[in-house]
Amino acid sequence: MRRAMWCVSAAVVLLVGCKTKQPEAETKPAETAKVETPPPTAAPAPTPVESKPGEAAPSAAPAPAAKAGNLLKPATLNEKAPEKYEVKFKTTRGDFTVLVKREWSPLAADRFYNLVKAHFYDNTAFFRVVPGFVVQFGISDRPAVSAAWKHTEIPDDPVTQTNKRATLSFATAGPNTRTTQIFINLKDNLRLDGMGFSPFAVVEGDGMNVVEMMYEGYGDNAGPDQDQIEKQGTPYLKKGWPKLDYIVSASLADSSPAPAAAPKKVR
């Protein structure tokens, strides 16, 4: 939720940033006042495209606006997550499910669990899509909620997994600055491991087919300003970047066992 500034060192240490440390594409020069994101890899700036070839974004009705509730009181959202849990994403491009493994990155798993349970990600945009790099989301559609989570950083987890394709990691603005923004790796971004991005989940099955359909035409240079998303919410995005895709809802998958069938009376 806050911007971070990442520099490119002579040793190819790319630190970027949308608000937090966003993974940055390798070709990006050092930027100031960017937001949370991993720095992109050294690829030429993507050419804006209208949408995926031959595909039109399905018009999914947005989910009813969730009540802010405890989202305005982050300190109350502090449950410990299960060792494993699934989250179902319904998006404007289709559905996909992610599997979270707490042992990979405990603090990240706990934070994500509480945010999903409180419906933080419902109706939020995939505001940064860099082809061949990452898809990023995690800024609330409601300015009041964004303001409430602005200073809720969690400490870094050790990096125990690699940022391979289909894994999810929190974006940061530097050490110990993870809040709510997350990115999905579109390829094996192993260099992000050494930059402290700790994967905590993975997209299951063929879910990446959906993730890879997110509108990518704005690339990493023509996308929205993260501070303005926080301050103005969805109206800002709809006005300037109407083709962005959205999370309709993100909810915990029901992992409880089915109730036992009632015994039948034998005559």
Side-chain angles (χ1 to χ4, degrees):
M1 307 188 94
R2 23 178 166 136
R3 291 199 178 229
M5 180 194 281
W6 288 89
C7 350
V8 180
S9 77
V12 187
V13 177
L14 300 148
L15 297 147
V16 183
C18 278
K19 222 179 145 188
T20 27
K21 189 190 195 173
Q22 326 184 71
E24 224 180 71
E26 292 169 332
T27 49
K28 263 205 123 108
E31 296 184 63
T32 57
K34 192 100 190 193
V35 195
E36 303 174 23
T37 342
T41 55
T47 302
V49 291
E50 203 52 31
S51 73
K52 293 281 183 179
E55 294 179 329
S59 56
K67 293 182 180 178
N70 284 345
L71 283 175
L72 296 177
K73 300 176 181 178
T76 66
L77 301 177
N78 56 8
E79 290 184 53
K80 179 180 176 180
E83 289 307 307
K84 290 184 182 180
Y85 63 93
E86 290 179 314
V87 174
K88 174 101 176 259
F89 284 81
K90 291 182 179 295
T91 80
T92 49
R93 288 287 183 175
D95 301 349
F96 65 90
T97 300
V98 303
L99 172 65
V100 181
K101 296 186 178 183
R102 192 172 184 276
E103 64 178 347
W104 286 5
S105 193
L107 297 178
D110 290 348
R111 169 57 61 88
F112 187 57
Y113 179 79
N114 283 281
L115 288 169
V116 170
K117 193 170 181 181
H119 296 281
F120 178 95
Y121 296 108
D122 292 7
N123 302 313
T124 60
F126 292 101
F127 62 83
R128 184 186 185 221
V129 182
V130 185
F133 185 44
V134 299
V135 170
Q136 188 167 333
F137 63 94
I139 298 179
S140 177
D141 60 320
R142 290 163 286 175
V145 174
S146 289
W149 287 86
K150 198 166 187 70
H151 300 292
T152 59
E153 297 88 350
I154 57 175
D156 291 337
D157 284 302
V159 179
T160 65
Q161 306 297 311
T162 191
N163 281 274
K164 63 184 180 181
R165 179 177 180 273
T167 55
L168 285 72
S169 295
F170 271 84
T172 74
N176 304 308
T177 57
R178 296 179 298 175
T179 52
T180 63
Q181 292 193 39
I182 291 168
F183 62 91
I184 304 173
N185 287 294
L186 293 177
K187 71 166 189 174
D188 292 347
N189 290 311
L190 309 190
R191 70 189 180 85
L192 298 180
D193 302 349
M195 297 170 64
F197 294 103
S198 179
F200 66 92
V202 63
V203 177
E204 293 189 300
D206 58 1
M208 285 301 289
N209 292 339
V210 174
V211 174
E212 290 171 341
M213 289 174 63
M214 301 305 165
Y215 183 74
E216 61 186 27
Y218 303 119
D220 208 23
N221 299 306
D225 178 272
Q226 292 186 29
D227 277 347
Q228 293 305 313
I229 303 175
E230 292 179 354
K231 292 174 182 177
Q232 300 183 48
T234 299
Y236 166 73
L237 293 174
K238 294 290 188 182
K239 181 178 180 180
W241 297 268
K243 295 177 182 176
L244 288 176
D245 283 297
Y246 286 77
I247 296 170
V248 176
S249 66
S251 56
L252 297 171
D254 184 9
S255 56
S256 57
K264 292 184 180 179
K265 188 182 250 183
V266 179
R267 299 197 176 198

